[in-house]
Amino acid sequence: MKEYYELLIPKILSIIKSHNIKKIFDYGCGDAKVMRLLTLESNNELILVGGDIIKSPIFDTWNIEFVPLGADQRGKVFLNIDSRFDLVICMFSLHHMQYPIYSLQAISSILRDNGVLYLCDFSHDVDDIYKNIIDRLSEIIFEKEGGFHRHPY
């Protein structure tokens, strides 16, 4: 039986192909399972960078660049990276953030103009604050892309 994230890989590969994506950042990447699958599927033609609070040893094994996610005392997220990315993936991690709005601002800072954000998170048992943040994504992030659409998975 496939893991939940494996079911979404074909959609991500479709986005990569249709948007000619070369540089990908996985925000809240955990142990880089998504990036490992993308590495296998892409024949190492992609520049893959993962960001999370703790670096998994798997990054060194798979030769994937890691950027630590940090936050100040007020919860504002900072990324120590000068690069901009064609695609930012944020899968099943936003609900872990104390202040998701700061994470979205950090994502916006590394997403190139006309870049694509692939955001997938749980759609049940969320409070009104989280629903409001999701409803306002088009104002925060997706003006770079030109549209926001919810897709069930």
Side-chain angles (χ1 to χ4, degrees):
M1 184 168 163
K2 288 188 174 189
E3 294 284 339
Y4 63 89
Y5 59 89
E6 291 177 285
L7 300 173
L8 301 171
I9 293 298
K11 177 63 178 172
I12 294 171
L13 291 170
S14 170
I15 291 169
I16 290 169
K17 185 176 180 180
S18 66
H19 289 81
N20 195 28
I21 286 172
K22 301 294 181 205
K23 291 177 66 176
I24 301 173
F25 190 91
D26 189 353
Y27 189 93
C29 61
D31 60 1
K33 289 178 181 175
V34 171
M35 290 192 298
R36 286 185 279 160
L37 288 172
L38 291 177
T39 299
L40 294 172
E41 294 289 337
S42 69
N43 299 320
N44 293 320
E45 295 175 1
L46 299 171
I47 298 169
L48 301 169
V49 180
D52 211 316
I53 295 170
I54 299 171
K55 181 180 180 181
S56 168
I58 204 73
F59 281 89
D60 296 328
T61 304
W62 280 76
N63 198 26
I64 298 170
E65 184 180 347
F66 178 81
V67 174
L69 301 180
D72 65 17
Q73 292 177 336
R74 291 169 282 160
K76 186 155 176 96
V77 176
F78 56 86
L79 288 166
N80 189 15
I81 190 165
D82 285 334
S83 195
R84 310 267 282 170
F85 295 86
D86 305 318
L87 171 63
V88 177
I89 299 169
C90 183
M91 290 179 51
F92 303 104
S93 59
L94 196 62
H95 67 274
H96 291 288
M97 312 298 173
Q98 183 174 5
Y99 301 105
I101 193 74
Y102 292 142
S103 293
L104 294 170
Q105 288 171 339
I107 289 169
S108 179
S109 74
I110 62 169
L111 187 63
R112 72 165 173 77
D113 291 343
N114 295 315
V116 178
L117 170 63
Y118 187 80
L119 173 64
C120 185
D121 216 308
F122 300 105
S123 61
H124 56 83
D125 298 331
V126 294
D127 61 21
D128 289 338
I129 293 172
Y130 187 75
K131 287 178 184 175
N132 186 43
I133 288 171
I134 297 299
D135 288 340
R136 297 191 61 197
L137 270 175
S138 60
E139 297 172 28
I140 298 166
I141 300 286
F142 286 94
E143 60 192 35
K144 293 183 180 200
E145 168 67 15
F148 172 66
H149 306 283
R150 287 187 181 177
H151 295 285
Y153 58 92

